[in-house]
Amino acid sequence: MRKLFLITTLFFAANILFASNTLFEQANTFYTQEKYEDAILLYDSIQKNDLQSTELFYNIGNAYYKLQDWPHCILYYEKALKLNANNEDALHNLELAQLKIVDKIESIPELPFEKWINSIVSSLKMDHWAILSIFLLWLSFLFLGIKKMRHLRLPQNLLTAFLIFSFFTFIFANSQFQQKSEQTYAIIFSSSLVVKNAPSFNATDLFSIHSGRKILITDQIEQWIKIRLTNGQIGWILKEGCKEI
């Protein structure tokens, strides 16, 4: 029975994958024919099968860009970058789309050291850092075993170097994991939202944000979410005004 269940599961999975590839090709054809709404419908049907990829989200973002739907466009470029932060095409197109929105909020500048560290952390995916950390740790144990063989001489600092690099690669992998699991970002879809100083309609108005703006969700109380902008401003808005990345 287990073998039959496994075969059946694999069969349906293969059919879904084949159908999704066919839909993806059809959607790309619609895109080249400038039928962007039809392309988006097919792309969305692929998403409904719980299939995600950087290429899929990037193409959806491009279709919305052609329709000048900036909130959706930015949302899907961000989704593509969430899967692959080093996708240069998505990064470039995202910058172009951000020029089209109302809000021009400057981020708090990073310190040179922070910028350097962040560039190193983002140079590899989380899985790659984790694999590298395990590999270096394995080399450390291998080195210990070899070192016990007296007739072999190896540099004394080699073990220390392996352990140090293994530690830092683990830290880099964990840093990316924390960012993905604990930080929730969203894109504003309402044309204009008033940010308040408390989760209440009667609270004081602080400032306004507009569609296409990326926000960080830091807390939630019922229908209200607490947000932080890249310039450090914080406040509360209604959750219905945005979509999570």
Side-chain angles (χ1 to χ4, degrees):
M1 290 296 293
R2 289 184 179 180
K3 290 184 178 180
L4 179 61
F5 175 77
L6 179 60
I7 293 173
T8 304
T9 302
L10 291 175
F11 176 77
F12 280 111
N15 282 339
I16 291 174
L17 185 60
F18 176 77
S20 298
N21 288 335
T22 303
L23 289 175
F24 189 72
E25 293 175 359
Q26 292 176 348
N28 291 341
T29 300
F30 281 137
Y31 181 89
T32 57
Q33 295 173 349
E34 299 184 0
K35 299 178 180 179
Y36 305 119
E37 294 90 346
D38 294 332
I40 290 171
L41 288 175
L42 292 183
Y43 288 136
D44 284 341
S45 64
I46 297 174
Q47 289 190 81
K48 291 178 181 179
N49 290 328
D50 294 327
L51 296 175
Q52 301 179 354
S53 70
T54 301
E55 293 75 16
L56 173 63
F57 290 146
Y58 174 70
N59 285 9
I60 297 176
N62 286 341
Y64 278 116
Y65 189 98
K66 293 294 185 179
L67 295 173
Q68 298 186 4
D69 185 338
W70 310 125
H72 276 101
C73 168
I74 291 173
L75 174 67
Y76 280 98
Y77 285 148
E78 290 283 1
K79 283 179 175 287
L81 291 169
K82 190 174 181 180
L83 296 180
N84 181 9
N86 297 318
N87 188 308
E88 295 183 357
D89 292 331
L91 284 169
H92 175 72
N93 288 2
L94 176 61
E95 291 179 358
L96 294 178
Q98 288 173 335
L99 295 175
K100 307 293 185 179
I101 64 177
V102 175
D103 295 336
K104 309 298 180 186
I105 300 176
E106 295 185 2
S107 303
I108 299 176
E110 293 179 323
L111 296 174
F113 178 76
E114 292 178 332
K115 189 175 182 179
W116 179 68
I117 292 295
N118 289 334
S119 65
I120 294 176
V121 173
S122 62
S123 62
L124 292 177
K125 294 182 179 180
M126 177 184 67
D127 294 344
H128 296 165
W129 282 123
I131 292 172
L132 184 58
S133 177
I134 294 172
F135 176 71
L136 290 172
L137 188 61
W138 177 82
L139 283 181
S140 300
F141 288 115
L142 180 64
F143 175 80
L144 279 175
I146 295 175
K147 194 176 180 181
K148 292 181 179 179
M149 301 172 67
R150 297 181 180 179
H151 62 281
L152 291 178
R153 294 185 179 181
L154 295 173
Q156 295 294 325
N157 296 328
L158 191 57
L159 174 60
T160 304
F162 284 153
L163 290 174
I164 290 175
F165 283 119
S166 176
F167 171 77
F168 278 107
T169 51
F170 172 79
I171 293 297
F172 295 158
N174 185 65
S175 176
Q176 288 195 16
F177 174 78
Q178 295 295 332
Q179 290 178 0
K180 291 183 177 181
S181 62
E182 295 185 359
Q183 293 185 336
T184 302
Y185 289 93
I187 302 298
I188 298 297
F189 271 73
S190 296
S191 58
S192 179
L193 277 179
V194 176
V195 181
K196 296 180 174 292
N197 70 338
S200 170
F201 289 104
N202 298 324
T204 302
D205 297 346
L206 297 178
F207 54 90
S208 296
I209 52 178
H210 303 84
S211 62
R213 172 53 49 195
K214 182 180 179 180
I215 58 173
L216 173 64
I217 301 175
T218 60
D219 197 3
Q220 179 173 349
I221 298 178
E222 296 180 351
Q223 60 183 334
W224 294 89
I225 55 174
K226 188 176 183 180
I227 67 169
R228 185 167 74 239
L229 304 184
T230 54
N231 63 357
Q233 289 180 300
I234 60 174
W236 293 83
I237 64 170
L238 290 171
K239 186 178 181 181
E240 63 185 20
C242 65
K243 292 185 180 181
E244 293 185 10
I245 297 173

